[in-house]
């Protein structure tokens, strides 16, 4: 048991293992009840409290802190601890992650103190750099929207780039903003090489 610090109430809070988490409707309000095993004495059922817009569901591997409310016999769950995953956020940062049923992190959003934001899982990453550059990548390719407005996409077989000038370059072929096309090697049309393909005709 831990002192709740409430003024003159003489009541104590509890830290216990989460047993269950149930969504309920009570007096017309959409709330959640969390059942906690305090490690001694009867289990405690408390109403879950979190910041508005934060829809989180604890796991049985978590611990919750519950404290008494002004209603007699009622408890409120006001904080949780994930004992399995090491915190990584540095001063001023915000990191949000989701876990599988075993408690392993499977996807996360990390807002960093240098202005960078990342979303990633084991298969891909999206990064917003401080200068506004956005990069999305996975094991097969990537697309980058640079701060200057240019766009680059590539995979193991080829690439394209929309330059700030409006020129579009795809696998070495350049389509200028005015529509002119520059082909550095050869042009094949219907299986025929155009550069050396001549037709004889009368004068």
């Amino acid at each position: 048991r831990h002192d709740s610090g409430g003024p003159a109430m003489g009541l104590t809070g509890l830290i216990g293992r989460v047993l269950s988490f149930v969504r309920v409707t009570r007096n017309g309000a959409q709330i959640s009840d969390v059942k906690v095993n305090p490690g001694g004495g009867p289990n405690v059922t408390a109403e879950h409290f979190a910041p508005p817009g934060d829809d989180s569901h604890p796991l049985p591997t978590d611990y919750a802190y519950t404290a008494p409310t002004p209603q007699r016999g009622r408890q409120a769950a006001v904080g949780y601890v994930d004992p399995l995953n090491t915190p990584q956020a540095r001063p001023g940062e915000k990191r949000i992650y989701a876990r599988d049923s075993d408690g392993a992190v499977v996807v996360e959003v990390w807002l960093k103190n240098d202005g960078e934001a990342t979303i990633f899982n084991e298969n891909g990453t999206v990064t917003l750099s401080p200068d506004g550059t956005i990069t999305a990548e996975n094991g097969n390719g990537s697309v980058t929207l640079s701060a200057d407005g240019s766009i680059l996409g590539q995979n193991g077989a080829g690439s394209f780039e929309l330059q700030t000038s409006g020129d579009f370059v795809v696998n070495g072929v350049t389509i200028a903003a005015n529509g002119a096309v520059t082909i550095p090697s050869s042009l094949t049309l219907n299986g025929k090489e155009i550069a050396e393909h001549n037709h004889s005709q009368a004068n």
Side-chain angles (χ1 to χ4, degrees):
R1 291 178 179 268
H2 298 263
D3 188 354
S4 66
M9 292 184 65
L11 299 176
T12 57
L14 299 170
I15 295 177
R17 184 78 172 264
V18 173
L19 298 176
S20 65
F21 190 81
V22 180
R23 309 290 193 183
V24 298
T25 301
R26 183 172 295 125
N27 298 324
Q30 304 299 317
I31 62 175
S32 301
D33 280 345
V34 56
K35 183 180 291 186
V36 174
N37 177 3
N43 294 333
V44 174
T45 298
E47 290 185 5
H48 165 81
F49 281 81
D54 184 342
D55 184 5
S56 301
H57 195 303
L59 292 174
T61 54
D62 294 338
Y63 287 83
Y65 176 77
T66 67
T69 70
Q71 295 175 295
R72 181 179 297 275
R74 302 294 299 176
Q75 294 273 331
V78 295
Y80 297 86
V81 171
D82 170 8
L84 300 182
N85 296 289
T86 302
Q88 300 179 43
R90 295 165 296 192
E93 296 186 343
K94 180 74 171 183
R95 178 171 168 262
I96 305 169
Y97 59 88
R99 301 165 291 168
D100 62 19
S101 58
D102 295 323
V105 175
V106 293
V107 62
E108 61 183 89
V109 178
W110 196 338
L111 309 180
K112 300 184 178 182
N113 57 19
D114 62 357
E116 179 181 287
T118 59
I119 304 174
F120 53 96
N121 60 24
E122 64 178 356
N123 295 314
T125 303
V126 178
T127 301
L128 172 62
S129 299
D131 68 353
T133 297
I134 301 173
T135 302
E137 57 186 337
N138 56 30
N140 297 314
S142 66
V143 177
T144 299
L145 171 59
S146 297
D148 62 7
S150 61
I151 303 172
L152 173 65
Q154 54 190 344
N155 59 24
S159 66
F160 69 86
E161 181 181 8
L162 178 59
Q163 301 175 345
T164 55
S165 64
D167 291 356
F168 183 69
V169 182
V170 54
N171 292 338
V173 176
T174 300
I175 305 174
N178 63 6
V181 179
T182 301
I183 302 172
S185 56
S186 63
L187 174 62
T188 301
L189 181 63
N190 292 332
K192 299 183 184 297
E193 171 55 56
I194 301 302
E196 303 299 331
H197 185 74
N198 299 315
H199 289 274
S200 59
Q201 58 184 354
N203 291 334

